[in-house]
Amino acid sequence: MTQLVKPYGDTQNDGKVQLSFTLPLEWSEAADEAARRLAGKMGFTDVQVVDGRKIATGYSFFVLYASTPQAVDVDSIAPSSERTHAMSMDEIDALIEERIGRKIRVAGACIGTDAHTVGIDAILNMKGYKGDYGLERYHMFETFNLGSQVAVEELVRFAKQHRIDALLVSQAVTQKGSDIKNFTQLSELLEAEGLRDDVVLICGGPRVTNRLAGELGYDAGFGRGTLPSEVAAFIAVRLAERRRDAARR
Amino acid sequence: MTQLVKPYGDTQNDGKVQLSFTLPLEWSEAADEAARRLAGKMGFTDVQVVDGRKIATGYSFFVLYASTPQAVDVDSIAPSSERTHAMSMDEIDALIEERIGRKIRVAGACIGTDAHTVGIDAILNMKGYKGDYGLERYHMFETFNLGSQVAVEELVRFAKQHRIDALLVSQAVTQKGSDIKNFTQLSELLEAEGLRDDVVLICGGPRVTNRLAGELGYDAGFGRGTLPSEVAAFIAVRLAERRRDAARR
Amino acid sequence: MELKIDRECVARCRELAAAIVAPVEAFIAAHSTVSVERAALRLLGVDGVTPEEIPIPNAILDALPERQRPAGIALAFGKALAETGLDPAALGEAMALGRYSLTEFTETPEGAARGALRPHVESGLERISGQRQARSELLERLPQLPPPLLYVIVASGNIYEDRTAAVAAAEAGAQVVAVIRSTGQSLLDFVPFGPTTEGFGGTYATQANFRIMRVALDEVSEKLGRYVMLTNYASGLCMPEIAVMAAIERLDMLLNDSMYGILFRDINMKRTFIDQHFSRMLNAFSGIIINTGEDNYLTTADAVDQAPAVLASQFINEEFAHRAGLPDRQIGLGDAYEINPDLEDSFLYQVAQAQLAREIFPEAALKYMPPTKHMTGDIFKGHLIDAMFNLTSVMTGQRIHLCGMLTEAIHTPFLGDRSLSLENARYIMNTARHFGDEIVLRPGGAVELRAHDVLTGCEALLERVAATGLMNAIESATFADVSRAPEGGRGFDGVFERAPEYFNPFEEALRGSLTAVSS
Amino acid sequence: MELKIDRECVARCRELAAAIVAPVEAFIAAHSTVSVERAALRLLGVDGVTPEEIPIPNAILDALPERQRPAGIALAFGKALAETGLDPAALGEAMALGRYSLTEFTETPEGAARGALRPHVESGLERISGQRQARSELLERLPQLPPPLLYVIVASGNIYEDRTAAVAAAEAGAQVVAVIRSTGQSLLDFVPFGPTTEGFGGTYATQANFRIMRVALDEVSEKLGRYVMLTNYASGLCMPEIAVMAAIERLDMLLNDSMYGILFRDINMKRTFIDQHFSRMLNAFSGIIINTGEDNYLTTADAVDQAPAVLASQFINEEFAHRAGLPDRQIGLGDAYEINPDLEDSFLYQVAQAQLAREIFPEAALKYMPPTKHMTGDIFKGHLIDAMFNLTSVMTGQRIHLCGMLTEAIHTPFLGDRSLSLENARYIMNTARHFGDEIVLRPGGAVELRAHDVLTGCEALLERVAATGLMNAIESATFADVSRAPEGGRGFDGVFERAPEYFNPFEEALRGSLTAVSS
Ligand code: B12
Ligand code: B12
Ligand SMILES: Cc1ncc(COP(=O)(O)O)c(C=O)c1O
Ligand SMILES: Cc1ncc(COP(=O)(O)O)c(C=O)c1O
C-alpha cells in the first residue's frame, strides 16, 4: 500500500506551500510578475505573490503562497538513520563487556579549520547532551577528544599510534562545501593508509545526514539533536558485528 | 536581448529559496526525509530540511532551504498593470472636461457577502488613500458608493437606473474562490442585460491583478496599494478613447 | 505594572454610561422581536426544518397572524400544546408538516396555556443549567492554563476541517477556539440547520456544527488534562436564537456586542438593542462569557484617534451587560492592537491603552484582539508585530488573548500558521512572564499622559452622547463615523411593541434567577 | 531605565582589575613578538609579497639572525635604509627579490639608523592621523543615525560578493558592516595578500580587501548621507599587523580582545598579551573602536552561569584598554543575548545583565551580540528571539548592536536574511524607541536582585584571579572552563625578551601622542 501525502494548508491535499526569495531585480510590478512566473516554472499552481518589495538597489524580496501538484509516497521511506538501537548506558557497557571484552578506544575531533567543538564535546564529554551522558562517562569507552581545528593527517597519525577503534569527526561550517571536502579527505587518507577497515568511521554535524555519510564512505552520520547514547550504541553494535563476522571467517 | 534571473542567496545565480509547509504526517526522521524528497520532486536541488517538528498529532511543520534550477526571462515581462498614466487630479479633471465634456458617473460597491469596504472607500471617499484624494474629490466625477454586501442584481439595477459610466467593485474575501464567483456573476449579468459595453467595468481587491481582471472580462483590475488617481486616470482615458472610436464610426 | 489614573473621571464615565443606557432599557422592556420569539420556541424544544428547509421556529412564527404578534408566540404555542398534548418538539414537527396550524387552537384559556408551557419552560432551563454545571465541573477537573487565555480562530468553511484544525490548535496550546461565521450569516433572519461544509471566509453557525466542535474539544480536553473553550458569534439578526443554541451545546463564549450589528452590519438599532438584551440574559444564565467588538472601531479608522471611542463603547457595553445580569467575570470587553506599527513609540501607546482598560475594569475578562489592519504580505514583519502584541498582553494582564496570525493579510489561518502563532504567544509570554510585575511606569511620563488623554476624551464623548441620547448619537455618526437611522437598517420589520398581555415565560424565569447567578 | 546597583562593589571590581593587569603589563613592557616587529615594518611602508608569495614583512624578519632579534627589527632595517638610500617600500621589494640581505649592513651607527628611520616613522604616523582626521570630517558631514548602531556581518568568502552585500545592507539601514574572517586565518602567523574570492565561513582579512570595502562603503555613505562604518577582526596571531592595515585603510572598528585568542584559539597567552597591547595602542591612535569578545564565553557554556565571568572579562578588557591609551568611547565591551529563550522570565535576566553593563560602563561603546546558540532551523521563532534582543538593546541603550539573523543556525547570512534582520531591528527600536525612559525597575524586584547577584559573583571571581595572578588563573581554567599553559599554545616561538638596546620607533611615538589623544 502506498500513502501519498501533499502539503496541508487548511484542506486535505490543497498542497499549500510558503516560499520566499530574493531576486536581483529593481522592484516594480514587473518584478512581482517575474516572481510569479518563476514560481510557475517551479511547477507551482495558484501562485500568489503576497509581498514584493525593494530591499536594495537592484534587489527585491518576495513572499509567495502557492500550491504544489507534487505528492510523496511516505511508505517507501525507511527511517534513514542509525538512531535505531535505543539502549541505556549500562546496557551498552554490558554489551561491550560481553561481546568485545575490552574497552573501545574512541577518538573525536573537529577537523580542518572548523573550530565548532560544542557538537563533538556534547557527544564525548562526561556532561553529555540533554541529560544523556557523553562517552567519557561510560566504563567501556576510552575516549580521546582532540578538540578543534585538527588536520586530518594529524588525526590519522593519532589513530594509528593509539590503535583507535572508532573515529568521530565533526563539521559545523558547511559553506562552499568545506565540510564535504574535509570529510572526504579523511576517508581517502584512511584508505590510502590502509586503515579504513580497522576503524568505525563516523561523522556528524548540524547538516549531516546518515545518507550523506554513506555517500562519503562513512559507517554512519549523525545530525541535529543527536544523543551520545545513540552514537555509543551504534559503535558498540557495529564493532560487535565485525567481531562476529571476523570470528566466522 | 533576454535577461535571465535566478533567486539570489549570497552568490549570483545560486538560486536559493526558502520554503515552509505542513505535512499530514506524525513527525519522525522519516517525515523529515519525506519533506526532503517532496522538495526534490518540486525540482529543487541541494535541499536542506533545516527544521522539522510535530505541531499536532498527525501533523508536522517543516522549514527548508534549497536551490532552484529555474530562471525567468525578465525582459519578456511587460508591466501588467493599468497604473501607467501618472496624472494629477487637475490633469484628469481637465482631460474629462475637454474630451468628454460632462461629469463621469461612477458607482462602487463591495459585492456578494463581502463587507470589506475599506478598499473601495479608499478609492471613492474624499479622503482617499495615502494622501491621494478619492474620486469624490474630483470635479468631473459623480460618485455613488453603495457600500457593503451589495447583491449584483441590485448593482446592475442601480447602474441602469442612474446611467452609470463606470462600475467599481471590490472583493477582499477570496476563500474558496468567492471573489471570482461574484466578479463573474456581475460581468455575466451585465452581458445578459446588454449593458456590458455601456460601462467601464473595474474590479479591485488585495488579491486582484490586472491579468485576472482581463480573464474575467473586466476592463481593468487593481490590486494592493492602488491609488485613487491611478483608477481615475484609467477611467477618464478609457472613456475618452471610446468617445473617439465612437465618433470615428 | 502600575499606572496612575483619575478615579473620579472613571466614576463620572460610569454614571454617564448609566444615564445613556437607562432610556434604551425602558424602550427594550416595551418591545420584542421575531428573533426573541423564535428563541423562546427553541428554548421550549422546537428545532428542525420544514420540507422546504425553513427552520421550524421561523415557520411557526410566520404562521402567527400579525394581530397576535404583540402577545408573543408563547401563549399561542401553549394553547396548541394543551390541545394536542404533544411535546414542543413533536408539535413543531407536526406544524412543519402542516398537520396543525397555530390559528386552530382557540379553546384553551390563558391559564391552561401557561400551565401547558410550564414543564417545558422548566426542562428547557434545566437543560441549560445542566450544561452550566457540567462546565464548572470540567473546569474543576481539567483546569485551564493561567491567562492570557490563548484564543485562535478556525474558518475553513467546512466544519470537519475546522474540527481538525481546532484539535490541532488545542494540542499546540490554544485554550479557546472560535469558529468564524461565514460572511453574511449575520444578515440572515434565520439560523441555518445541520452540519455544513460550504462557507465563505468562515463556517455557518448551526447547532449541529456547535455540537460537532464541542464533542471534539471535550475529547481533546480530556486528553490534554485542560478544558478547551469553544466560541462562536451571536451579534447579527439572530442574537437570541444563537444564544439559545450556544447555551444548549455548552459554548463558553459568544461574540455579543450591543452596537456591532448596528454600526458594522447596518442592522436596525431597535432590533439590535432588544435582541442583545434577551441574548445577554441567556448568556448570563448559561455562564457564557460575552466578547464585545470594540476592535471593529479600529479596523476602519485610525487607532490613535479612536481610543476614546473604544473606551466609551466599553463603558456602554458594560452597562448593558450589567442590566442583563452579566457579572464582570463574564464580560469580555474588547480592544485591539491596531496602532500603526511604524509610528514611533506606538508600543508605548498600546501599553497605555491596554493598562488603562485593566485599571478601569479590574474584574472584567478583557479580550485583546491582535493587529490586523496593518498586517501585510510581509509575514516576517507581521510575526514581529504579533510578538509586541503578545508582550503587551502579558505585561498588562489581559484575560482573553486572540492570537494574531502572520498570514493575517493573506488567508484565513492555515494549520501551520496557527501553530506558529501559538508558538509566538507561548515564547513571548513565557520569556516575559513576570515583566509586568517588575516595572513601574514613570509618573508624569508619556504613557501616563497618553492614558489620561484617552480617559478624558472618553468622558467628553460620553457627555455628548448622554446629551442627545444614544439613538440620536448613532444617527449623527458619533460612533465609527457611520450614521444609522432609528427606523432604518435590516430587520426593523421584525421589531414589535408588546401588548399588555405579552407573555414570554423565559424572560420572567431568567430575570428571577439572574440576581442569584450574577452574585 | 533605572536600576539600583552597589557602587562600592563596582569600585572594588575596578581596583581588582587594576591589580590583575599590572603585573602582566610589566611583562609586556619587557617583551616583543614577531608580529609586533612586522607591524613596525608595515608602518614604515613595507608591504607586498615575495615571488614565493611570502609577505615581505615576514620575509625580512625571518632573515634577521636570531641573536639580533632582541634588539628589534627597526635598527637593522634602519641601517639598510641609510646605506641603500631607498625608501622602505622599495627596500622591501629589493630584499624580497634577494638583492639585499639584512646582514650586509653593518657600517651604519645606531644614530644614523634612527635618523634614516625618522622621516618614514613620521610619514607612517601622519598617514594614520590623516585617516583619523578624514573619519571625523566624514562623521561631521555625514552624521550617523542615533544608536544602537545597527551592525551586520558579511561572510560570503568572496570580497566582491561581500561588497554587494555590504552596500545592500547599508541601504537597508546598516550603520556598521563587519567582514567575517575565513575560518582559520587567526591561526596563520602572516597576513594574506591581495583581493581574495575564496574563504570558508568568511573572507580573508587582507589590506586589499579592506580597501575594496572601504571604497564601496564611502561611496554608499555619500549616497545615503550618513557614514557607514567598516569592521574587521584583529585578535589572532597577527593582531598588531591587522591593526596597522586597519588604521591605514580607515576601518572604524576592530575585534580586539585581550584573552580571546588564548581561550578560544589556543594562542599562547604571552604572545597574545604583548600583541593586544601594541595593537590597541595603534587602535587608540587611529581612532578605531575595539570590540571585545565576551560573547564567546556564552556560546560554549550556560549564559546564566557565565554572567559573572562576562562582567569580570569586561573589567579586565577595560583595564588593558586604558593601559594602551584607549578612551572609553573607543572601548566596545561585549555581551550577548544568549540565555535559553525557553527559560521562564529569561527576558528579565537579559534586561538585568544589559542594564548592569550600561550602569557600570556609562561611557563605553557597549557592543551587544545577538542570540546565536539557541537559534535553530525554526526561522520564525528565531526571528522573535531576535526581536526581544532588539527590544532589550534599545531599552538599555546599548551602543553597538549586532543584528541577529533568523537563519543563524543555517548559513552565513543571505542578502535577504540581512534585510529581514534590519527590518526587525528598525521596527522594534522604533516602536519602543523611548520605552526605556518610561520605566523604573521595581526596587528589590527580580531584575534588581539578578543584577546584584551577577555583580557580587564577578567580584568574587576577580578576587580569585587577583590572588593567583592572571596567567595562573587561565592555566587553572578560571575562564570558559579551558586551561592554557603560559608557554603552551600557538605562536609562543614568536615571543622574545627585549634586549636593553631594543628599539621600536613607533612605540615611543605612540606612547607620547596617546595621552594627548585619549583625553
Ligand atoms: C557556538 C558557535 C560558534 C562558536 C564556537 C565555539 C566552540 N568552541 O564550538 C564561535 C563563536 C567560536 C564560532 C565561531 C565561528 N562560527 Co560559529 N557558530 C556557533 C553556533 C552559534 C552554535 C553551534 C553550536 O554550538 N551548536 C550546538 C551543538 C550542540 O549542536 P551541533 O553542533 O549541531 O551538534 C549536535 C549534532 O550536530 C551532533 N554532532 C555534531 N558534531 C558531531 C560529531 C559526531 C561524530 C557525532 C556523532 C555527532 C555530532 O551532535 C550534537 C549534539 O546533538 C552556530 C549557529 C547555530 N545556532 O547553530 C554558528 C555557526 C556554526 N558558525 C558559523 C560560522 C561561519 C562561524 C565563523 C566562521 C564566523 C562566524 N560567522 O561566527 C567562526 C569561525 C569558527 C571556526 N574557525 O570554525 C556558521 C556556519 C555557517 C555554515 N553553515 O557554513 C554558523 C551556522 C552561524 C552562521 N549562520 O553564520 N561559532
Ligand atoms: C478590516 C478587515 C475587516 C473589517 C472590515 C471593515 C470594513 N468596513 O471594511 C471587519 C472586522 C468587519 C472584517 C470582517 C471579516 N473579515 Co476581514 N479583514 C480586514 C483586514 C484586517 C483589513 C482589510 C483592509 O481594510 N485593508 C485595507 C485596504 C485599504 O486594503 P485593500 O482592501 O487591499 O484595498 C486596496 C486595494 O486592494 C485596492 N482595492 C480594493 N478594492 C478595490 C476596488 C476597486 C474598484 C479598485 C479600483 C481598487 C480596489 O485599493 C485599495 C487601496 O489601495 C483584512 C486583513 C488584512 N490585513 O488585509 C481582513 C480579511 C480581509 N478579512 C477576512 C475575513 C475572512 C473576514 C471575516 C469573514 C471573518 C474574519 N476572519 O474576520 C469577516 C466577515 C466580513 C465580511 N462579511 O466580509 C480575511 C479574508 C481571507 C480571504 N482571503 O478570503 C482577511 C484577509 C483576514 C484573514 N486572514 O482572515 N474584516
Ligand atoms: C461583536 C462581534 N459580533 C460578530 C462579529 C462577526 O460578525 P459577522 O458574522 O457579521 O462578520 C464580529 C466580528 O468582528 C464581532 O466583533
Ligand atoms: C574578539 C574576537 N576576535 C576575533 C574573532 C574571530 O576570530 P576567528 O577569526 O578566529 O574566528 C572573534 C569571533 O567571535 C572575537 O570575538
Side-chain angles (χ1 to χ4, degrees), chain B residues 113 115-118 129 170 174-175 205-206 226, chain C residues 372 375 408 410-411:
Chain B
T113 59
H116 293 90
T117 54
V118 178
Y129 190 63
S170 180
T174 62
Q175 202 185 39
T226 306
Chain C
T372 62
M375 297 292 275
E408 170 64 30
I410 303 163
H411 46 237

Side-chain angles (χ1 to χ4, degrees), chain D residues 181-182 186 233-235 255-257 260 265 291-293 295-296 367:
Chain D
R181 261 189 308 199
S182 175
S186 54
Y233 294 70
S235 311
L255 280 271
N256 180 322
D257 190 279
Y260 170 86
R265 289 295 176 268
N291 292 182
T292 61
D295 50 288
N296 295 287
K367 179 191 112 193

Side-chain angles (χ1 to χ4, degrees), chain B residues 113 115-116 149, chain C residues 180-187 201 232-237 239 254-261 264-265 267 280 291-296 299 317 367 369:
Chain B
T113 59
H116 293 90
Q149 304 191 319
Chain C
I180 296 280
R181 262 189 308 199
S182 176
T183 62
Q185 174 169 4
S186 53
L187 306 184
N232 210 298
Y233 294 71
S235 311
L237 282 168
M239 275 174 121
L254 272 182
L255 281 270
N256 180 322
D257 190 280
S258 54
M259 301 196 287
Y260 169 85
F264 303 103
R265 289 293 176 271
I267 293 173
R280 285 182 173 192
N291 292 183
T292 61
E294 283 77 9
D295 49 287
N296 295 286
T299 56
N317 262 310
K367 179 191 109 192
M369 298 282 286

Side-chain angles (χ1 to χ4, degrees), chain C residues 168-181:
Chain C
E171 289 183 341
Q175 307 219 62
V176 186
V177 176
V179 181
I180 296 280
R181 262 189 308 199

Side-chain angles (χ1 to χ4, degrees), chain C residues 80 85 180 212 275 388:
Chain C
I180 296 280
I212 289 167
D275 285 348
M388 294 307 279

Side-chain angles (χ1 to χ4, degrees), chain A residues 15-16 42 47 61 66-67 84 102 118-119 151 162-163 165 170 174 196-198 214 226 232:
Chain A
K16 290 295 180 189
M42 295 175 190
V47 177
F61 184 75
S67 297
T84 26
R102 64 163 177 84
V118 178
H162 296 74
R163 304 188 321 288
D165 300 304
S170 180
T174 62
R196 181 62 188 85
D197 303 340
D198 307 352
T226 307

